[in-house]
Amino acid sequence: MLAQADAIVRAVKAGTDTALRDLPALRLGFSRLVNSHCSVEIRLVNARAAEMEKDADKTKLLRRFHDELLMWRGDLMDCNASWPQRRVADDRAGFLAAFRGLNDRLKARVRWEEQVFYPAIFATPGKR
């Protein structure tokens, strides 16, 4: 997902006819990748949800996981709706400003999941 988002940024920065012609496929591929990744991720997390309800800290992490994921996905949909191909081609800097914010949040999200969320949620009790 991160590589796909970075490919979108590179294509828009390049701004060539070829890069911009390839951009819709990159953006569609990214959206599909986000949807499939999130579906798998949510299934994995929800399979453990009943166990986590007994732990206040894990419940907070689970709430943050879902709330931030929904917010980010909604912001991606807004970006896609607000920035059709013609507008991106006409205002590459504006699109980059909007999309880089999403990309930065995605990178921060992945770091949080890897460093905080998944270790806390999937840690085996009693093992370190």
Side-chain angles (χ1 to χ4, degrees):
M1 249 181 347
L2 298 176
Q4 187 77 8
D6 287 341
I8 291 168
V9 170
R10 283 192 306 277
V12 175
K13 282 176 70 174
T16 65
D17 288 342
T18 301
L20 292 175
R21 188 174 44 249
D22 294 342
L23 185 60
L26 287 172
R27 291 176 69 190
L28 179 61
F30 180 63
S31 291
R32 288 179 174 165
L33 185 58
V34 166
N35 286 337
S36 64
H37 175 85
C38 290
S39 294
V40 169
E41 192 172 52
I42 288 168
R43 275 195 304 273
L44 286 171
V45 170
N46 285 346
R48 303 283 305 262
E51 298 170 34
M52 292 183 268
E53 289 175 355
K54 300 170 186 130
D55 184 320
D57 291 334
K58 288 183 180 181
T59 299
K60 287 179 190 173
L61 285 172
L62 186 60
R63 174 57 38 214
R64 177 179 173 187
F65 172 86
H66 284 293
D67 288 350
E68 290 180 3
L69 182 62
L70 288 172
M71 185 180 308
W72 185 87
R73 287 178 77 183
D75 291 346
L76 176 62
M77 288 188 296
D78 287 345
C79 179
N80 286 338
S82 298
W83 288 95
Q85 181 64 15
R86 173 56 36 213
R87 184 172 179 213
V88 173
D90 291 342
D91 183 8
R92 293 185 358 246
F95 173 80
L96 284 172
F99 190 79
R100 276 192 177 131
L102 285 168
N103 194 18
D104 290 346
R105 286 171 50 208
L106 176 62
K107 290 175 182 178
R109 167 72 183 211
V110 169
R111 278 191 306 275
W112 175 78
E113 286 179 358
E114 291 174 350
Q115 296 171 3
V116 177
F117 182 74
Y118 285 116
I121 298 305
F122 291 109
T124 305
K127 290 189 178 181
R128 290 186 184 232

